[in-house]
Amino acid sequence: MNAPPSPPDLAALRAEIDRIDEHMHRLLMERGEIIDRLVAVKRSQGGEGGSAFRPAREAAMMRRLVDRHGGLLPLDTVESIWRVIISTFTYVQAPYAVHADLSAGEPTMRDSARFHFGFTTPFVPHMGPRGVIEAVAASRGDLGLLPAAQLPAGAAWWHALEGADAPKIIARLPFVERADHPAGLPVFVVSHPIADAAVTEIEVWSVRASGWSARAAAVLGGRGTLIAAARGLAPSLLLSVQAGACDAALAALAEAGAQIEGAVRVGSHAEPYRFGADAA
Ligand SMILES: O=C(O)C(=O)C[C@]1(C(=O)O)C=C[C@@H](O)C=C1
């Protein structure tokens, strides 16, 4: 009778780990060479200048990552590793800074910035959304992070996104949404308007409207979500709606008593990807 095979010893298993680590490192360096070639192609197509951040491509990559993931390594870890890989390769293509509004709380916004953009990309703190929007407008290709929620001060910061050349919302983070996300603060990414690669699954609108109420906002139902509202001299709403559903959302608000004075699209982003229990 044959003796049972003896289990591999620790040294052999560590040699396997070393082999895999070296392979992953070499693959990352090879990825860098491909990014070099990609930059040359973009340049030849006249796509040079501004930010290299391509939200449509990134949203698709993050969705595929989540779909194929399994095993021992927590999804949080895999997601954060890929966020750092992608955002750092974005940075090496065209250096940029991330300006973040800390007025709604520093730790959560800083966590979001570091989780999604790593430590190589410079982080510039601001107190309030206006400073972030102005810094992005004045930059060549910087990104701004704004809380995608009502801020305590309640000023209509989104009016600063209305001009044709003004910065626009181009993404919403996290791309992958779940209740226990380690950097789960809902955040809008603003940048100079991007001609290509914009995702339009969800549109964000600045709506000048008076006479609205919490009840009016509730009638939006599945048509959209009231992100933030400002009262005062120029009452205004920030609405996100499914692509093409703005007219229906405004009609629902008007029926519930709001007077709509105008609406300007201030950006768009990918539908947040939900999975597991959060997909239900
Ligand atoms: O696909 C591109 O256009 C890239 O610039 C590459 C890359 C990446 O590292 O995978 C980097 C930045 C973009 O936001 C998307 C993806």
Side-chain angles (χ1 to χ4, degrees), residues 31 34-35 38-39 42 51-59 61 82-93 96 175 196-197:
R31 195 184 199 280
I34 297 193
I35 292 284
L38 181 134
V39 170
K42 284 184 179 174
S51 167
F53 184 69
R54 296 290 175 273
R57 170 80 179 138
E58 294 204 10
M61 292 168 85
W82 256 270
R83 286 308 317 152
V84 171
I85 291 173
I86 297 172
S87 61
T88 309
F89 278 117
T90 310
Y91 181 79
V92 299
Q93 287 182 59
Y96 65 99
F175 288 111
D196 63 335

Side-chain angles (χ1 to χ4, degrees), residues 84 109-123:
V84 171
M109 182 54 94
R110 208 177 262 277
D111 279 355
S112 174
R114 292 311 192 191
F115 183 91
H116 291 101
F117 298 96
F119 283 88
T120 303
T121 309
F123 173 85

Side-chain angles (χ1 to χ4, degrees), residues 21-237:
D21 283 356
E22 182 180 337
H23 200 52
M24 288 194 300
H25 187 196
R26 290 195 187 285
L27 285 174
L28 278 176
M29 292 189 287
E30 190 183 334
R31 195 184 199 280
E33 285 162 19
I34 297 193
I35 292 284
D36 251 352
R37 285 157 53 196
L38 181 134
V39 170
V41 171
K42 284 184 179 174
R43 211 167 273 165
S44 71
Q45 294 173 345
E48 203 190 351
S51 167
F53 184 69
R54 296 290 175 273
R57 170 80 179 138
E58 294 204 10
M61 292 168 85
M62 297 315 292
R63 288 174 184 182
R64 276 207 309 278
L65 183 80
V66 169
D67 285 346
R68 76 174 165 250
H69 186 64
L72 211 60
L73 195 61
L75 177 65
D76 296 348
T77 310
V78 185
E79 188 188 359
S80 68
I81 290 171
W82 256 270
R83 286 308 317 152
V84 171
I85 291 173
I86 297 172
S87 61
T88 309
F89 278 117
T90 310
Y91 181 79
V92 299
Q93 287 182 59
Y96 65 99
V98 169
H99 301 265
D101 169 23
L102 304 186
S103 61
E106 164 150 10
T108 49
M109 182 54 94
R110 208 177 262 277
D111 279 355
S112 174
R114 292 311 192 191
F115 183 91
H116 291 101
F117 298 96
F119 283 88
T120 303
T121 309
F123 173 85
V124 187
H126 295 261
M127 266 308 152
R130 288 270 175 181
V132 170
I133 296 169
E134 281 165 20
V136 169
S139 76
R140 188 169 152 78
D142 290 356
L143 300 178
L145 303 185
L146 304 170
Q150 182 77 55
L151 297 177
W157 54 265
W158 48 94
H159 291 175
L161 306 177
E162 286 181 349
D165 295 330
K168 295 284 173 284
I169 292 166
I170 60 161
R172 181 187 181 280
L173 303 175
F175 288 111
V176 183
E177 202 161 78
R178 52 192 181 276
D180 56 351
H181 196 291
L185 179 73
V187 164
F188 285 135
V189 181
V190 296
S191 81
H192 285 300
I194 46 173
D196 63 335
V199 203
T200 53
E201 290 166 358
I202 305 285
E203 299 172 358
V204 191
W205 288 78
S206 168
V207 180
R208 312 270 177 152
S210 52
W212 51 269
S213 61
R215 195 182 71 78
V219 303
L220 284 170
R223 295 180 200 90
T225 308
L226 178 64
I227 304 289
R231 297 182 186 272
L233 284 178
S236 175
L237 309 172

